[in-house]
Amino acid sequence: MKNLLLIFILTMFAGNLFGQDSEPTENKFQNTIRYNISNPAIFGIKNIIFGYERVLKKNRSFSIDIGLNQLPGFNSEGNNSQNESLVLLRGGKNRGVHFSADYRFYLKSENKFDAPRGVYIGPYYSFNSFDKSKNWQLTSDNFEGEVGTELGFRIHTIGAELGYQFQLSKRFMLDFVLFGPGVGIYKSKVDFDSTLDPDDQALVLQKINDLLSEKIPGFNTIVDGSGFENTGIANVTGLGYRFMINVGYRF
């Protein structure tokens, strides 16, 4: 979060320094390719998302984003008591995909430049898919050995956004989606590769909930108020949100 705050402060300063003092000029570049710099800052460098924006009219544009993402990593720490132990093992699968699209209205009343510069609003849709597998060493009164878990998330979000795009130079841009509330449809799944006693199952699920809660703000709210309580599929409708910082190149 500190890295994200630093990026935001530096880019706001750069945008005011380079982007707002020049006079309006003819918009010769209708296309922008961009790279999302906020996701790696929050979730890690393996989150790679690229985007494309096309100006459709003087004050309107359409954009898409596509890429790879993954859930934050877990720390390999044990959860021990007098009679039981659960230790997270190294390795495992962690992958996912991202797709989103929006339609932007650059506000004439707020902007002295044509699109894609200045304040914009508009609807958006996003889809995120995450799959994570981990292995655990479990020792209890009823089980001793290795247990594998499979986590899966599918998130569809529809909402509205408010953003601002700076022009740093003739071709380079900084794009901020600052506020993007929406409605999210969440499908989550967790499975074990071993049959466990209900108490042992609850122990593993609680550890997964604790680790995800540490890494994902609002996780327990997303997964039906209390996180994973049992295996299988859960479908939840709740609040969604969109926030991005992109650096772009116009052509």
Side-chain angles (χ1 to χ4, degrees), residues 150-164:
E150 293 281 345
L151 300 177
F153 292 95
R154 306 292 182 266
I155 307 169
H156 299 268
T157 307
I158 298 175
E161 65 187 14
L162 167 68
Y164 196 99

Side-chain angles (χ1 to χ4, degrees), residues 90-104:
R90 294 182 179 274
K93 176 184 69 178
N94 191 7
R95 64 190 181 191
V97 297
H98 169 88
F99 172 81
S100 61
D102 62 14
Y103 192 91
R104 300 181 174 188

Side-chain angles (χ1 to χ4, degrees), residues 172-185:
F172 287 96
M173 311 290 290
L174 278 171
D175 177 38
F176 295 86
V177 178
L178 299 171
F179 183 64
V183 176
I185 300 173

Side-chain angles (χ1 to χ4, degrees), residues 126-138:
S126 71
F127 170 74
N128 288 280
S129 172
F130 301 96
D131 292 286
K132 189 179 185 73
S133 65
K134 297 299 294 184
N135 291 323
W136 313 76
Q137 184 66 37
L138 173 63

Side-chain angles (χ1 to χ4, degrees), residues 5-30:
L5 180 60
L6 179 59
I7 290 172
F8 181 78
I9 294 172
L10 291 176
T11 50
M12 287 288 287
F13 174 77
N16 286 321
L17 181 62
F18 297 110
Q20 300 301 310
D21 295 332
S22 58
E23 293 299 323
T25 59
E26 182 182 357
N27 186 2
K28 298 180 180 179
F29 307 111
Q30 304 297 309

